[in-house]
């Protein structure tokens, strides 16, 4: 038995890792698949090609099913003085108004879909995302994006805190290193979200059409 299987078994015996049931309307939240993360020539960037490809499949099905899609992007104004920037100074490259702020063109976000600009890890902290979802009658979110251990995790935790049923799509999230990626998925699945594959996510979206 691998260490992850052992942890899952012990968590399950301890009353963690329950399974969720979708509730209310559905939305897809795409966290920070902006040029600054998907282009390795930018300081925060790394190879997210497979994540982008999987996410494009999911958002296209969502569009066909009239399921709302919301994108988030990180952008800082000139001279921003934030603790997060002290911890991760590389993020200063994500300047407001620069091309690094723009959503990766492979996702075709130019359809009038909401793009929420944020300056924290969570898609919910300091933004109007929770209000947008509530106004649309959303009770369930599918989360894609990067990074699994950072902004995806923070967004999933805050979505759970907002009493949303959260599904993190494993084939549509990525991280710089496999260790933090795997650990984040394990912990999210135990405490805050269901981690599901892309096929299951597509089926969930298809059920709304």
């Amino acid at each position: 038995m691998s260490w992850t299987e052992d942890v899952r078994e012990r968590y399950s015996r301890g009353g963690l890792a329950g399974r969720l049931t979708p509730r209310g309307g559905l939305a897809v939240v795409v966290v920070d698949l902006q040029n600054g993360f998907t282009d390795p020539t930018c300081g925060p960037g790394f190879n997210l090609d497979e994540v982008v490809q999987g996410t494009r499949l999911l958002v296209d099905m969502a569009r066909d099913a009239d399921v709302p899609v919301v994108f988030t992007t990180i952008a800082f104004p000139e001279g921003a003085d934030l603790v997060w920037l002290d911890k991760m100074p590389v993020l200063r490259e994500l300047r407001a108004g620069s091309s690094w702020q723009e959503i990766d063109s492979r996702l075709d976000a130019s359809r009038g879909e909401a793009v929420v600009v944020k300056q924290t890890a969570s898609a919910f902290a300091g933004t109007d995302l929770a209000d947008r979802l509530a106004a649309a009658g959303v009770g369930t979110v599918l989360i894609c994006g990067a990074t699994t251990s950072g902004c995806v995790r923070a967004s999933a935790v805050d979505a759970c805190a907002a009493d949303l049923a959260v599904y993190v799509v494993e084939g549509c999230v990525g991280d710089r290193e496999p260790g933090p990626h795997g650990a984040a998925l394990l912990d999210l699945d135990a405490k805050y979200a269901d981690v599901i594959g892309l096929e299951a996510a597509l089926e969930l979206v298809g059920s709304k059409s």
Side-chain angles (χ1 to χ4, degrees):
M1 179 183 292
S2 71
W3 75 268
T4 56
E5 290 171 333
D6 182 55
V7 170
R8 290 180 192 279
E9 184 178 305
R10 286 190 285 111
Y11 276 0
S12 182
R13 288 201 309 268
L16 284 73
R19 296 297 89 185
L20 297 174
T21 300
R23 55 172 71 181
L26 178 67
V28 177
V29 177
V30 182
V31 179
D32 301 349
L33 289 185
Q34 62 195 89
N35 293 332
F37 281 103
T38 64
D39 185 342
T41 66
C42 186
F46 56 105
N47 187 341
L48 284 164
D49 289 352
E50 291 185 6
V51 170
V52 172
Q53 290 165 12
T55 301
R56 179 60 191 263
L57 288 174
L58 186 59
V59 298
D60 277 350
M61 178 167 276
R63 289 159 175 161
D64 290 342
D66 290 327
V67 168
V69 178
V70 181
F71 294 90
T72 76
T73 184
I74 299 173
F76 298 99
E78 186 74 33
D81 182 19
L82 299 170
V83 169
W84 196 23
L85 293 175
D86 292 338
K87 192 65 182 177
M88 293 187 66
V90 70
L91 294 180
R92 294 185 186 278
E93 294 186 35
L94 306 179
R95 285 270 172 79
S98 74
S99 63
W100 298 132
Q101 176 185 346
E102 297 172 7
I103 303 301
D104 190 304
S105 62
R106 291 173 290 179
L107 294 170
D108 192 19
S110 58
R111 300 174 176 231
E113 291 156 336
V115 178
V116 174
V117 180
K118 64 190 183 73
Q119 279 128 33
T120 63
S122 170
F124 291 85
T127 75
D128 64 350
L129 179 57
D131 291 338
R132 288 176 183 268
L133 297 177
V138 171
T140 300
V141 290
L142 291 166
I143 295 183
C144 308
T147 62
T148 316
S149 61
C151 296
V152 167
R153 175 185 165 80
S155 299
V157 171
D158 279 0
C160 180
D163 203 31
L164 296 167
V166 186
Y167 294 84
V168 175
V169 187
E170 186 169 2
C172 298
V173 293
D175 214 314
R176 296 177 182 86
E177 298 290 341
H181 172 76
L185 289 178
L186 177 65
D187 197 59
L188 283 169
D189 193 62
K191 301 173 184 175
Y192 307 105
D194 279 5
V195 176
I196 61 174
L198 177 56
E199 185 175 340
L202 292 170
E203 289 177 0
L204 185 54
V205 170
S207 71
K208 298 294 183 179
S209 60

